[in-house]
Amino acid sequence: MALESAAGEVVIAQQLKQFLLVLSVSLGVATLPQIFSWFRRIPYTLLLVIVGLGLAFVNVRLVNLSPQLILMIFLPPLLFEAAWNLKWSDLKRDLLTICLYAVIGVIISIAGVALGLHQFAGLELSIALLVGASLSATDPVSVTALFRELGASKRLTTLMEGESLFNDGMAVVAFGLLVALPLGTAKLDLQSALWEFFQVVGIGIGVGGLIGFGISYLTQRFDLPLVEQSLTLVSAYSTYLITEDLGGSGVIGVVTTALILGNFGSRIGMNPRTRIIVTEFWEFLAFFVNSIVFLLIGDQIRFAVLGDNLKIIAVAIAAMIVARAVSIYALSSLSNWLAKSEIPLSEQIVLSWGGLRGSVSIALALSVPAILPQREEIIATVFGVVLFTLLVQGLTTQPLLEKLQLLGSQPLRQQYMEAIARQVALQRALEYLETTQKRPGIQPEFYDYHKTLLSGEIALLQEKIDNLLDEYPNLQEFTIKELRGELLAIEADTYAEFVRAGRLNKELSTFLTMHDRVNEDK
């Protein structure tokens, strides 16, 4: 008994060391763009994949990546964070389009990849369908991060994120239906497949709705930021596990819960300060999980196995690109006709090319039963396609946005904020200069010269700011939003000072004066 206990402790210590090694490498990669400016051109998640590939090339394996680890530990927080920040008002406007992409698009993707692999690579249809199901889940974490950084339209980001959130669930459901085919334990029956699909999705929505609304009303009863933050974490994992145990889609359950809490629960049960705390917590958790997942994706690559399956990988890539293009263009046209969505061709091109594959696809491929002879072939194909989408499609998305002139106003906002920052800095320098006017040794000529110089620079910057505001009126809204955020931060900091001084109980409500305004703004 003592030997078993000691062996268990050794295993735990070894796993902890591996985890700390992965985390150290990930955080080291995060600092690279700050040291070498060239790396800022590469999205952080893609940089992690490249570093992981480098480790795999020299045969340094950080840890074994299991499908259970991705689906049960890593996936819920990633889904929850994305859905928490997705506004229902934005989602509702394009709900039909997103549902078409996520449901019909998944079917087109599975059929297109399976047909290509069966016809041109000679794979059995049942195996080709499994590969297609694994590759039908989009994972555009890097692309949407790039959208925000470059200022692409909010709608484009919503379409990409919304599709990804829902089609992950569809892909998992489809994979579960198709995985029994090559084992000979089931036959493809359309009626039973549709019934199981609606059952799995219905259970996911039902459980997610109950937990989401339940926690929403529970948080109305108290104002404890840390407890409310912890409840969101518990809800993400409990929804996934309960839904899966009941035979539903854990992915759909988590997305439903997060959408309800982010758009309803946080409004009726959380004050603005608590919402900020919870949002920042989930941003940290998503960064933390992505740092691990994308590094391990690169680190798990087996170059020799990829080389043996290059033909199948090439066919899968071509079939996936064609199927993705067909689904986006056809379904966008249908949505434009049915709901007057007015999705322009330029955005359709970006949506088609930006449909990256990632952690969900890899988790599904790794979960293929070991008794299946073609398991290694399936895994190699999926890994190869994921690698292509991350490195080729991911790194070419920015040039594509520039070519299609979809970068939005982020460069303009950056220019505006730089002018504001320089004006504030020069104003402070001028104020300090005035305090030195009567300092011994400071000649009047020196003082007058620098005062004139600083005043002239400030005046020029003010003129530049005024011109920008006149030419681009939407900057006014951006300025107001920034100011509201600054005021809220100052107010929250003041309450924090009272708490640290012991003059305010940290469990008391923080009566932020901007409560209603911030809620309306959000």
Side-chain angles (χ1 to χ4, degrees):
M1 193 70 179
L3 289 175
E4 291 179 0
S5 177
E9 291 177 359
V10 170
V11 171
I12 292 173
Q14 183 64 30
Q15 290 176 344
L16 181 60
K17 290 177 182 178
Q18 289 180 332
F19 173 75
L20 291 175
L21 177 60
V22 172
L23 187 58
S24 299
V25 173
S26 300
L27 296 178
V29 174
T31 63
L32 285 177
Q34 306 304 319
I35 301 173
F36 305 101
S37 59
W38 185 85
F39 285 111
R40 294 173 189 170
R41 303 177 186 177
I42 305 174
Y44 169 60
T45 49
L46 299 187
L47 195 58
L48 285 167
V49 175
I50 294 171
V51 171
L53 282 172
L55 294 173
F57 185 75
V58 296
N59 203 29
V60 175
R61 306 297 176 181
L62 297 174
V63 68
N64 290 325
L65 194 63
S66 69
Q68 290 77 19
L69 194 67
I70 296 176
L71 291 177
M72 296 183 63
I73 299 178
F74 291 159
L75 193 57
L78 291 177
L79 293 169
F80 192 97
E81 188 271 340
W84 167 273
N85 290 307
L86 193 59
K87 291 184 180 179
W88 174 249
S89 57
D90 296 332
L91 184 64
K92 181 173 61 175
R93 181 183 59 186
D94 290 305
L95 188 59
L96 175 63
T97 308
I98 290 171
C99 289
L100 287 173
Y101 290 163
V103 180
I104 308 300
V106 165
I107 296 173
I108 294 174
S109 177
I110 295 174
V113 172
L115 183 63
L117 289 174
H118 181 61
Q119 292 292 328
F120 300 103
L123 284 187
E124 296 177 22
L125 186 58
S126 58
I127 300 299
L129 285 169
L130 266 188
V131 176
S134 300
L135 293 174
S136 62
T138 58
D139 187 15
V141 174
S142 305
V143 172
T144 52
L146 193 65
F147 285 175
R148 294 192 186 97
E149 180 183 341
L150 297 175
S153 73
K154 192 173 182 181
R155 187 190 187 193
L156 191 59
T157 305
T158 300
L159 286 170
M160 187 72 80
E161 277 190 332
E163 179 203 0
S164 176
L165 284 172
F166 290 108
N167 81 358
D168 282 353
M170 297 302 108
V172 173
V173 171
F175 184 87
L177 294 173
L178 294 171
V179 72
L181 291 179
L183 299 175
T185 58
K187 293 183 179 180
L188 192 60
D189 179 19
L190 182 60
Q191 185 176 353
S192 60
L194 285 175
W195 167 248
E196 187 170 351
F197 168 78
F198 285 114
Q199 184 180 11
V200 167
V201 173
I203 292 174
I205 294 175
V207 174
L210 285 174
I211 293 177
F213 284 116
I215 292 179
S216 297
Y217 286 110
L218 181 63
T219 54
Q220 279 187 296
R221 307 296 179 186
F222 50 78
D223 183 27
L224 302 172
L226 294 180
V227 174
E228 293 174 69
Q229 173 182 294
S230 302
L231 278 173
T232 60
L233 181 63
V234 171
S235 70
Y237 284 103
S238 62
T239 301
Y240 187 88
L241 294 173
I242 292 172
T243 307
E244 288 290 321
D245 287 342
L246 293 176
S249 169
V251 174
I252 298 296
V254 173
V255 170
T256 303
T257 299
L259 280 173
I260 293 171
L261 288 175
N263 290 275
F264 177 71
S266 61
R267 293 178 181 272
I268 68 167
M270 297 181 184
N271 64 48
R273 178 173 175 269
T274 301
R275 182 180 173 90
I276 291 172
I277 291 172
V278 174
T279 300
E280 290 179 347
F281 166 75
W282 281 104
E283 286 177 357
F284 156 74
L285 200 58
F287 166 80
F288 184 81
V289 172
N290 274 318
S291 298
I292 296 172
V293 169
F294 280 89
L295 179 67
L296 293 181
I297 286 176
D299 186 55
Q300 296 296 304
I301 297 297
R302 301 294 194 270
F303 290 100
V305 179
L306 291 183
D308 294 337
N309 293 276
L310 279 180
K311 178 185 176 182
I312 298 177
I313 293 171
V315 171
I317 290 171
M320 179 202 66
I321 292 174
V322 172
R324 175 73 179 175
V326 169
S327 66
I328 292 296
Y329 297 142
L331 296 175
S332 296
S333 299
L334 180 61
S335 179
N336 288 343
W337 177 62
L338 290 175
K340 310 299 181 186
S341 302
E342 298 181 358
I343 303 172
L345 181 60
S346 57
E347 292 190 358
Q348 293 178 36
I349 293 172
V350 174
L351 288 168
S352 175
W353 187 249
L356 276 60
R357 273 60 171 176
S359 54
V360 177
S361 294
I362 287 176
L364 291 176
L366 289 172
S367 64
V368 172
I371 60 173
L372 201 63
Q374 299 91 340
R375 182 175 186 270
E376 290 302 318
E377 195 174 20
I378 293 172
I379 293 174
T381 304
V382 172
F383 264 92
V385 175
V386 168
L387 198 60
F388 173 86
T389 65
L390 290 175
L391 296 183
V392 178
Q393 292 179 267
L395 291 175
T396 54
T397 298
Q398 180 174 347
L400 182 63
L401 287 168
E402 293 173 350
K403 183 72 174 176
L404 297 173
Q405 298 180 346
L406 292 174
L407 286 185
S409 60
Q410 185 63 23
L412 180 63
R413 290 182 178 182
Q414 185 64 30
Q415 181 184 356
Y416 175 74
M417 289 306 299
E418 286 175 0
I420 291 288
R422 181 158 172 74
Q423 186 189 47
V424 171
L426 292 176
Q427 186 65 45
R428 290 179 181 176
L430 180 60
E431 291 171 359
Y432 180 77
L433 178 65
E434 291 175 351
T435 64
T436 66
Q437 183 178 6
K438 296 182 180 180
R439 181 183 296 181
I442 301 297
Q443 298 178 355
E445 294 82 3
F446 176 87
Y447 171 82
D448 292 338
Y449 171 76
H450 282 87
K451 181 179 180 180
T452 303
L453 183 65
L454 289 171
S455 298
E457 286 289 328
I458 292 171
L460 288 174
L461 285 168
Q462 186 61 51
E463 183 180 354
K464 180 180 180 180
I465 292 169
D466 291 339
N467 290 336
L468 284 172
L469 288 172
D470 291 337
E471 189 173 355
Y472 305 100
N474 60 328
L475 285 175
Q476 189 71 41
E477 182 183 349
F478 171 69
T479 304
I480 293 172
K481 186 176 179 180
E482 289 290 308
L483 179 58
R484 283 178 177 172
E486 292 170 13
L487 293 176
L488 182 60
I490 291 171
E491 196 168 357
D493 287 342
T494 304
Y495 286 117
E497 289 177 11
F498 274 79
V499 171
R500 286 193 294 268
R503 299 165 64 187
L504 183 66
N505 191 318
K506 65 180 180 180
E507 294 183 353
L508 294 178
S509 172
T510 54
F511 300 102
L512 296 181
T513 60
M514 294 181 63
H515 185 282
D516 294 333
R517 292 184 184 178
V518 171
N519 271 343
E520 290 173 4
D521 185 51
K522 290 181 178 298

